[in-house]
Short mmCIF file of all heavy atoms in Angstrom, two decimals:
data_model
loop_
_atom_site.label_atom_id
_atom_site.label_comp_id
_atom_site.label_asym_id
_atom_site.label_seq_id
_atom_site.Cartn_x
_atom_site.Cartn_y
_atom_site.Cartn_z
N LYS A 272 14.16 -25.84 -54.08
CA LYS A 272 12.90 -26.32 -53.51
C LYS A 272 11.75 -26.17 -54.52
O LYS A 272 11.00 -27.11 -54.76
CB LYS A 272 12.59 -25.53 -52.24
CG LYS A 272 11.78 -26.32 -51.27
CD LYS A 272 11.83 -25.74 -49.88
CE LYS A 272 10.65 -26.27 -49.09
NZ LYS A 272 10.05 -25.24 -48.25
N LEU A 273 11.66 -24.99 -55.09
CA LEU A 273 10.60 -24.74 -56.08
C LEU A 273 10.79 -25.69 -57.25
O LEU A 273 9.84 -26.30 -57.74
CB LEU A 273 10.65 -23.29 -56.56
CG LEU A 273 9.60 -22.88 -57.58
CD1 LEU A 273 8.19 -23.06 -57.02
CD2 LEU A 273 9.79 -21.44 -58.03
N SER A 276 9.65 -29.27 -56.42
CA SER A 276 8.20 -29.47 -56.35
C SER A 276 7.55 -29.30 -57.72
O SER A 276 6.58 -29.98 -58.04
CB SER A 276 7.55 -28.58 -55.28
OG SER A 276 7.73 -27.24 -55.57
N ASP A 301 -1.40 -28.37 -56.24
CA ASP A 301 0.03 -28.62 -56.03
C ASP A 301 0.86 -27.39 -56.40
O ASP A 301 1.75 -26.97 -55.68
CB ASP A 301 0.53 -29.75 -56.94
CG ASP A 301 0.35 -31.10 -56.28
OD1 ASP A 301 -0.21 -31.14 -55.17
OD2 ASP A 301 0.77 -32.11 -56.89
N LEU A 302 0.51 -26.86 -57.57
CA LEU A 302 1.25 -25.70 -58.08
C LEU A 302 1.09 -24.52 -57.12
O LEU A 302 2.05 -23.83 -56.78
CB LEU A 302 0.71 -25.33 -59.46
CG LEU A 302 1.34 -24.09 -60.10
CD1 LEU A 302 2.80 -24.34 -60.43
CD2 LEU A 302 0.59 -23.68 -61.36
N GLN A 303 -0.13 -24.31 -56.65
CA GLN A 303 -0.38 -23.22 -55.71
C GLN A 303 0.51 -23.37 -54.48
O GLN A 303 1.14 -22.41 -54.03
CB GLN A 303 -1.84 -23.23 -55.25
CG GLN A 303 -2.81 -22.77 -56.32
CD GLN A 303 -4.25 -22.89 -55.88
OE1 GLN A 303 -4.59 -23.73 -55.03
NE2 GLN A 303 -5.12 -22.08 -56.45
N ARG A 304 0.55 -24.57 -53.97
CA ARG A 304 1.33 -24.81 -52.75
C ARG A 304 2.81 -24.47 -53.01
O ARG A 304 3.45 -23.78 -52.21
CB ARG A 304 1.18 -26.27 -52.32
CG ARG A 304 1.46 -26.49 -50.85
CD ARG A 304 1.13 -27.91 -50.42
NE ARG A 304 -0.22 -28.33 -50.77
CZ ARG A 304 -0.52 -29.45 -51.43
NH1 ARG A 304 0.45 -30.27 -51.82
NH2 ARG A 304 -1.77 -29.75 -51.72
N SER A 305 3.33 -24.94 -54.14
CA SER A 305 4.75 -24.68 -54.45
C SER A 305 5.01 -23.19 -54.54
O SER A 305 6.01 -22.69 -54.04
CB SER A 305 5.16 -25.30 -55.78
OG SER A 305 4.64 -26.57 -55.91
N LEU A 306 4.11 -22.47 -55.20
CA LEU A 306 4.35 -21.04 -55.42
C LEU A 306 4.21 -20.25 -54.11
O LEU A 306 4.98 -19.33 -53.84
CB LEU A 306 3.39 -20.49 -56.47
CG LEU A 306 3.63 -21.01 -57.88
CD1 LEU A 306 2.54 -20.56 -58.84
CD2 LEU A 306 5.00 -20.56 -58.41
N LEU A 307 3.25 -20.64 -53.29
CA LEU A 307 3.09 -19.93 -52.02
C LEU A 307 4.31 -20.16 -51.13
O LEU A 307 4.78 -19.26 -50.44
CB LEU A 307 1.81 -20.37 -51.31
CG LEU A 307 0.52 -19.92 -52.02
CD1 LEU A 307 -0.71 -20.48 -51.32
CD2 LEU A 307 0.44 -18.40 -52.10
N GLN A 308 4.83 -21.39 -51.17
CA GLN A 308 6.04 -21.67 -50.40
C GLN A 308 7.22 -20.84 -50.88
O GLN A 308 8.13 -20.54 -50.13
CB GLN A 308 6.40 -23.15 -50.48
CG GLN A 308 5.70 -23.96 -49.41
CD GLN A 308 5.87 -25.45 -49.62
OE1 GLN A 308 6.51 -25.89 -50.59
NE2 GLN A 308 5.30 -26.24 -48.72
N ALA A 309 7.19 -20.46 -52.16
CA ALA A 309 8.27 -19.63 -52.71
C ALA A 309 7.97 -18.15 -52.48
O ALA A 309 8.61 -17.29 -53.07
CB ALA A 309 8.46 -19.92 -54.19
N ASP A 310 6.99 -17.87 -51.64
CA ASP A 310 6.63 -16.49 -51.28
C ASP A 310 6.08 -15.67 -52.44
O ASP A 310 6.35 -14.48 -52.55
CB ASP A 310 7.82 -15.76 -50.64
CG ASP A 310 7.36 -14.56 -49.82
OD1 ASP A 310 6.32 -14.68 -49.14
OD2 ASP A 310 8.00 -13.50 -49.88
N VAL A 311 5.29 -16.32 -53.28
CA VAL A 311 4.61 -15.56 -54.34
C VAL A 311 3.31 -15.01 -53.75
O VAL A 311 2.65 -15.68 -52.94
CB VAL A 311 4.30 -16.45 -55.56
CG1 VAL A 311 3.62 -15.64 -56.65
CG2 VAL A 311 5.58 -17.08 -56.09
N ALA A 513 14.64 -19.66 -50.33
CA ALA A 513 13.46 -20.34 -50.85
C ALA A 513 12.48 -19.32 -51.42
O ALA A 513 11.50 -19.68 -52.04
CB ALA A 513 12.79 -21.16 -49.75
N LYS A 514 12.75 -18.04 -51.19
CA LYS A 514 11.78 -17.01 -51.59
C LYS A 514 12.05 -16.45 -52.99
O LYS A 514 11.41 -15.47 -53.41
CB LYS A 514 11.84 -15.84 -50.61
CG LYS A 514 11.30 -16.16 -49.24
CD LYS A 514 11.29 -14.88 -48.44
CE LYS A 514 10.70 -15.05 -47.06
NZ LYS A 514 10.73 -13.77 -46.35
N GLY A 515 13.01 -17.02 -53.68
CA GLY A 515 13.42 -16.47 -54.97
C GLY A 515 12.31 -16.39 -55.99
O GLY A 515 12.23 -15.44 -56.77
N GLY A 517 9.16 -15.86 -55.49
CA GLY A 517 8.36 -14.68 -55.17
C GLY A 517 9.03 -13.41 -55.62
O GLY A 517 8.39 -12.50 -56.15
#
Side-chain angles (χ1 to χ4, degrees):
K272 208 162 161 220
L273 181 60
S276 62
D301 272 4
L302 177 67
Q303 287 175 333
R304 203 173 307 128
S305 318
L306 292 173
L307 291 176
Q308 272 171 359
D310 200 39
V311 181
K514 290 186 177 180

